[in-house]
Amino acid sequence: MRLNTIIIYLFVGVFLMSCSSDSDNDNGNVDPNNPKAGNQLPLGSSANDLLSDQNFSNLAIEIAVDDNVSVSNSALIDLEEFLEARTFKTNITITQRTIESPEMSPYSNSEIVSIEDNNRTLYNTEDTIAVFILYLSGQSENDEGNSVTLGTAYRNTSLVLYKETIDNAGQPLNTPSVSEIESATLQHEFAHLFGLVDIGTEAQTPHVDPDSQGHCNVEDCLMIASIEFASGMIGMNSVPSLDPQCINDLQANGGR
Ligand SMILES: [Zn+2]
Ligand SMILES: [Zn+2]
């Protein structure tokens, strides 16, 4: 008997635009006069640069944390393991720092971009590709009823997590812990930066969800659009993993 069922959607940002996987720049820096340009590209366009070591041997992750929230350590450990398993990076570093809460919830997509632009300090360098992760309290303005946004990947090397929404999703009975939901969200959104599914990393087999851009149609896959935590994660002792078809796609685009 199901007492409490919540449908939680992990959304790709609505301004997800480009599925282009062709790179006409050899190191991600499109404009030599703008050192930030290589980090201001559409979602999915740096999939190969994040997965392979061809242009960048290192990955530097900067986490900017709203001073009203905190980051789960175990979710970060899971993320690091996930990145080591799927990429060919020699060094992966994760640095965290606190930022003053913008207190503008609910957040629009353009507000997220401007918060990044005001707070991001790490950009691509010669051999290191940089990723920005924003942790905010409050919600996305796309939330409606029980359909809530836990996180969004919104640029080629940028994603946001809505920690208050994640905390609330972990409250009802029969749901996984907050840190498991946070961990799943982090990996799911990072996998969008890797170009899954078919948004910069071409799908090698037909497993694209026809109803949800950027998602997988394999039940239990990390990249499924909706995860019904009340029943879908019961029996799982850990966060969902990528299914073999998603892993195959990453391997075909330079991943491990
Ligand atoms: Zn998604
Ligand atoms: Zn999948």
Side-chain angles (χ1 to χ4, degrees):
M1 184 173 71
R2 249 189 255 156
L3 293 173
N4 206 336
T5 301
I6 295 186
I7 311 261
I8 293 170
Y9 291 98
L10 298 144
F11 280 111
V12 188
V14 292
F15 51 110
L16 164 66
M17 303 291 290
S18 169
C19 299
S20 170
S21 61
D22 58 341
S23 73
D24 48 12
N25 54 87
D26 58 5
N27 63 1
N29 289 320
V30 283
D31 177 359
N33 297 317
N34 178 7
K36 300 180 180 179
N39 297 97
Q40 296 176 339
L41 301 171
L43 179 59
S45 52
S46 291
N48 177 267
D49 282 343
L50 287 163
L51 290 163
S52 77
D53 62 357
Q54 203 174 348
N55 292 324
F56 300 96
S57 45
N58 307 315
L59 168 62
I61 299 170
E62 173 184 26
I63 307 183
V65 188
D66 184 319
D67 59 15
N68 287 325
V69 301
S70 59
V71 179
S72 156
N73 253 334
S74 63
L76 288 191
I77 292 167
D78 289 351
L79 177 66
E80 200 162 359
E81 280 174 10
F82 176 73
L83 298 175
E84 280 167 0
R86 301 273 69 92
T87 76
F88 282 99
K89 298 306 179 198
T90 310
N91 293 300
I92 298 172
T93 57
I94 302 179
T95 54
Q96 238 189 93
R97 63 195 178 77
T98 305
I99 61 167
E100 193 181 337
S101 177
E103 291 185 343
M104 292 153 70
S105 175
Y107 294 95
S108 68
N109 292 328
S110 59
E111 284 167 339
I112 296 297
V113 168
S114 75
I115 294 167
E116 171 182 353
D117 291 343
N118 292 333
N119 290 284
R120 182 169 182 158
T121 64
L122 292 187
Y123 294 89
N124 296 351
T125 58
E126 187 67 24
D127 58 357
T128 301
I129 188 165
V131 167
F132 180 77
I133 298 178
L134 180 60
Y135 262 76
L136 292 175
S137 65
Q139 294 110 32
S140 162
E141 72 168 15
N142 301 320
D143 288 1
E144 255 179 75
N146 280 347
S147 165
V148 295
T149 306
L150 303 179
T152 305
Y154 59 93
R155 267 177 172 166
N156 61 321
T157 61
S158 308
L159 53 95
V160 57
L161 265 73
Y162 298 97
K163 184 61 197 253
E164 189 179 321
T165 307
I166 290 170
D167 287 346
N168 291 336
Q171 295 306 314
L173 290 174
N174 297 329
T175 56
S177 70
V178 168
S179 68
E180 286 171 320
I181 295 170
E182 184 172 332
S183 183
T185 307
L186 264 178
Q187 291 175 47
H188 178 100
E189 298 308 330
F190 217 108
H192 282 316
L193 302 186
F194 285 159
L196 291 179
V197 175
D198 207 30
I199 54 166
T201 287
E202 194 183 345
Q204 302 296 305
T205 49
H207 65 111
V208 179
D209 182 344
D211 300 320
S212 179
Q213 190 182 19
H215 291 114
C216 179
N217 68 3
V218 176
E219 207 181 333
D220 298 339
C221 178
L222 175 67
M223 294 316 289
I224 201 158
S226 62
I227 293 178
E228 192 179 63
F229 284 106
S231 59
M233 280 184 73
I234 279 181
M236 294 187 194
N237 292 321
S238 57
V239 303
S241 306
L242 291 175
D243 80 295
Q245 291 183 89
C246 280
I247 291 175
N248 186 40
D249 292 351
L250 297 183
Q251 289 173 342
N253 194 23
R256 194 186 287 274

